[in-house]
Amino acid sequence: MRILLIQPNYHCGGAEIAGNWPPSWAPYIGGALKKAGYANIKFIDAMCEDLPDDVLGEIIRRNQPDVVLASAITPMIYKAQDTLKVVKEINPNTKTILGGIHPTFMYSQVLSEAPWIDYIVRGEGEEIIVNLMDTIAAGNEMKDRKNVQGIAYLENGQLVATPAHPPIKDLDTLTPDWSILDWDKYIYIPLNTRVAVPNFARGCPFTCRFCSQWKFWRTYRVRDPKKFVDEIEILVKEHKIGFFILADEEPTINRDKFVAMCQEMIDRKLNVNWGINTRVTDILRDAHLLPFYRKAGLLHVSLGTEAATQMNLNLFRKETTMEENKRAIDMLKANGMVAEAQFIMGLENETPQTIEETFKLALHWDPDMVNWNMYTPWPFSEMFEELGEKVEVRDYSKYNFVTPIMQPDEMDREEVLKGVLRSYARFYMRKSFLDYPFIKDPYKRKYMMGCLKAFIKMTANKRFYDLGRVKRKGLSADVDLGFDKSKVLTKEEIKVLRANRQEVEADVDFKGVSACGAPRDLPDYKEEISACGAPRDLPEYKENDDDKNNPNMRGMIKI
């Protein structure tokens, strides 16, 4: 059986600023299929190669796949649907399968919009895809597919969603096939080296209201540190990886395993640097371990600070304060790491004043890098449901962190974008002339100058933040956000849809739908959490007298 994996060709000017990122779903899914005996597998990264549909179509014709798989996050969903439509137009008998977080929760809407998709994989895909492929390969697909857990499909025009497949208990049973990728295409611009995005942990015990990763993975699981570093060793020695970023939502939650992983990296002397996304609270908790983390190669830490006012932190169910965020940034910088702060912009209470306050806060905190992300109300998150008719834009292709989705009460979306772009320009102008060239640590200085190079390059070609939509007119600028007008609803239209129960709802509880349309009630995974969304048993780090005299603890101590 010939199997073709395709990464849809979607671009938005966000994370691509740092280079081309390898889509890790392909090695993980491809590896699971190869382990199950499916050897004829090929991967096409239409996004990295920027392949138009006609060129992609020719590749599909040449390969004549029996099955085509794609994956999609929310902004990629329309392109993924179109990609699989191309497959069906070339050969209607080819099976088309779509996975990823958006179709997992929004399978009803996806299948109604794209009935040419044969199956949607709901949730973690490695075990589900093997079970589905075994059913297809056996020739009993139509009779036995109802027994495959974790899929959705149309049967005689009726939606069927089978009961959820349980989360993968042991992540160390995963066998990613990293050789499926053409590694020369995946270069991290700041270091001009190959980059990988492996999984050390999956899931998140926190329940931030704007996020749905904790719903997708359902349980928090961590890999065996030694086995994970085995994988890193393969990436470094066989595929010449020079930098990696953990795909995990919260890799530092299980401190014991994270420490063991770092120790393993030190012991094996792999000489590779890496980055993570984590919470401010974990940095404060592990203040005494930061020199050890840096020794293990941890270089770049992106912190979910996320709001310029404490009101917004509370809205997002965050558990940090403004002062804690600054302390975490100071500690990372004092220990030779790159501290990156993330801000969420563009909520309905955004004003020109709050945009300026956020910029001043960024100057006060003085992180090495800042990202101003547009608030994106995922259609399967709590906040989307609560915002209701305030979410007028339903053009998911613009749910990409660089496009204002919400309409603030006191300013236009276009003005929000202009304000954020001004913040970017002013912040990195200061860093360019007053900071990066004077960093004492030569490696960090090289890294930051590389980041600056990437920023300048992508700004010049207007790919950064999708700058092509901003047209200069003398001293002013016009902005075309590019929304599909048919997908921008009025508040009254949304109210009517809701009143008539015509708005497509997300299945965030993995209940599924039987062939007769009845929901399936499955037990939910539960974990005791505090009101802010954090588990109640997180360890707390307490300062002692030795810490006060330790220069690596700068930022922890209030003066």
Side-chain angles (χ1 to χ4, degrees), residues 246-270:
L246 294 181
D248 315 17
E249 280 71 44
E250 302 291 343
T252 54
I253 290 176
N254 189 320
R255 181 167 59 182
D256 289 346
K257 285 200 171 185
F258 188 77
V259 167
M261 183 267 286
C262 289
Q263 186 62 60
E264 197 70 23
M265 294 285 291
I266 293 170
D267 292 345
R268 298 197 199 187
K269 300 178 181 178
L270 293 179

Side-chain angles (χ1 to χ4, degrees), residues 209-324:
R209 296 167 65 216
F210 63 90
C211 178
S212 295
Q213 290 293 330
W214 57 280
K215 292 182 179 180
F216 180 83
W217 301 110
R218 290 185 282 169
T219 63
Y220 181 71
R221 293 144 292 155
V222 188
R223 295 182 58 183
D224 177 272
K226 289 189 176 182
K227 292 180 179 178
F228 173 74
V229 179
D230 287 343
E231 190 173 315
I232 298 300
E233 190 164 1
I234 290 173
L235 286 168
V236 171
K237 294 183 176 179
E238 295 184 14
H239 302 294
K240 311 305 178 186
I241 297 303
F243 189 79
F244 69 87
I245 290 184
L246 294 181
D248 315 17
E249 280 71 44
E250 302 291 343
T252 54
I253 290 176
N254 189 320
R255 181 167 59 182
D256 289 346
K257 285 200 171 185
F258 188 77
V259 167
M261 183 267 286
C262 289
Q263 186 62 60
E264 197 70 23
M265 294 285 291
I266 293 170
D267 292 345
R268 298 197 199 187
K269 300 178 181 178
L270 293 179
N271 192 32
V272 61
N273 284 286
W274 44 287
I276 63 172
N277 297 285
T278 193
R279 296 172 67 92
V280 166
T281 50
D282 286 7
I283 298 301
L284 300 180
R285 179 199 69 192
D286 295 351
H288 57 302
L289 291 170
L290 294 182
F292 170 74
Y293 292 165
R294 181 67 192 99
K295 184 179 179 182
L298 179 57
L299 173 65
H300 192 142
V301 179
S302 181
L303 296 171
T305 51
E306 286 169 342
T309 66
Q310 191 60 45
M311 178 183 68
N312 279 358
L313 283 174
N314 295 336
L315 177 65
F316 293 141
R317 202 185 284 148
K318 286 285 180 180
E319 61 176 41
T320 55
T321 67
M322 293 293 126
E323 185 58 30
E324 287 174 332

Side-chain angles (χ1 to χ4, degrees), residues 297-438:
L298 179 57
L299 173 65
H300 192 142
V301 179
S302 181
L303 296 171
T305 51
E306 286 169 342
T309 66
Q310 191 60 45
M311 178 183 68
N312 279 358
L313 283 174
N314 295 336
L315 177 65
F316 293 141
R317 202 185 284 148
K318 286 285 180 180
E319 61 176 41
T320 55
T321 67
M322 293 293 126
E323 185 58 30
E324 287 174 332
N325 292 334
K326 177 168 176 51
R327 283 159 50 201
I329 288 167
D330 286 344
M331 287 191 302
L332 289 171
K333 292 175 65 178
N335 284 280
M337 287 179 267
V338 175
E340 178 180 2
Q342 303 281 349
F343 290 112
I344 289 181
M345 311 297 293
L347 272 83
E348 68 270 22
N349 60 347
E350 197 75 80
T351 66
Q353 291 73 32
T354 60
I355 293 176
E356 185 63 20
E357 288 170 8
T358 306
F359 173 71
K360 290 179 179 178
L361 187 62
L363 295 184
H364 173 60
W365 285 353
D366 193 30
D368 296 297
M369 301 178 68
V370 172
N371 272 330
W372 283 271
N373 301 301
M374 295 297 180
Y375 171 62
T376 303
W378 305 121
F380 31 80
S381 67
E382 286 182 34
M383 284 193 70
F384 183 92
E385 188 67 25
E386 293 176 15
L387 289 167
E389 65 270 11
K390 294 181 180 179
V391 188
E392 300 165 326
V393 177
R394 304 300 175 95
D395 182 354
Y396 296 142
S397 68
K398 302 300 181 182
Y399 279 46
N400 51 24
F401 294 117
V402 301
T403 302
I405 299 300
M406 303 299 296
Q407 175 60 62
D409 297 330
E410 299 185 24
M411 62 189 304
D412 294 332
R413 294 183 181 91
E414 290 79 4
E415 292 304 315
V416 174
L417 179 60
K418 291 178 185 178
V420 166
L421 291 176
R422 281 193 295 269
S423 294
Y424 266 110
R426 289 184 291 167
F427 182 85
Y428 284 101
M429 185 68 72
R430 293 171 64 97
K431 289 292 181 180
S432 300
F433 292 102
L434 303 177
D435 189 337
Y436 295 164
F438 306 104

Side-chain angles (χ1 to χ4, degrees), residues 108-123:
S108 175
Q109 184 176 50
V110 172
L111 289 173
S112 68
E113 293 178 347
W116 52 84
I117 296 174
D118 291 307
Y119 297 102
I120 284 176
V121 172
R122 300 163 50 229

Side-chain angles (χ1 to χ4, degrees), residues 451-523:
C451 290
L452 181 61
K453 175 184 175 182
F455 179 77
I456 294 172
K457 177 182 178 181
M458 293 301 175
T459 300
N461 63 24
K462 296 187 178 297
R463 291 183 63 182
F464 170 69
Y465 233 81
D466 197 8
L467 280 174
R469 59 191 167 174
V470 180
K471 309 296 183 184
R472 300 295 306 184
K473 287 190 175 182
L475 297 178
S476 63
D478 288 340
V479 176
D480 179 6
L481 296 177
F483 294 134
D484 180 340
K485 291 182 172 55
S486 69
K487 293 183 172 69
V488 180
L489 308 179
T490 65
K491 291 181 172 63
E492 290 69 27
E493 287 173 328
I494 297 172
K495 287 180 181 178
V496 170
L497 285 176
R498 291 194 162 203
N500 296 330
R501 301 185 64 82
Q502 292 177 321
E503 185 171 49
V504 178
E505 295 182 354
D507 178 5
V508 297
D509 298 317
F510 288 88
K511 290 182 177 179
V513 180
S514 67
C516 65
R520 307 178 190 274
D521 292 324
L522 294 175

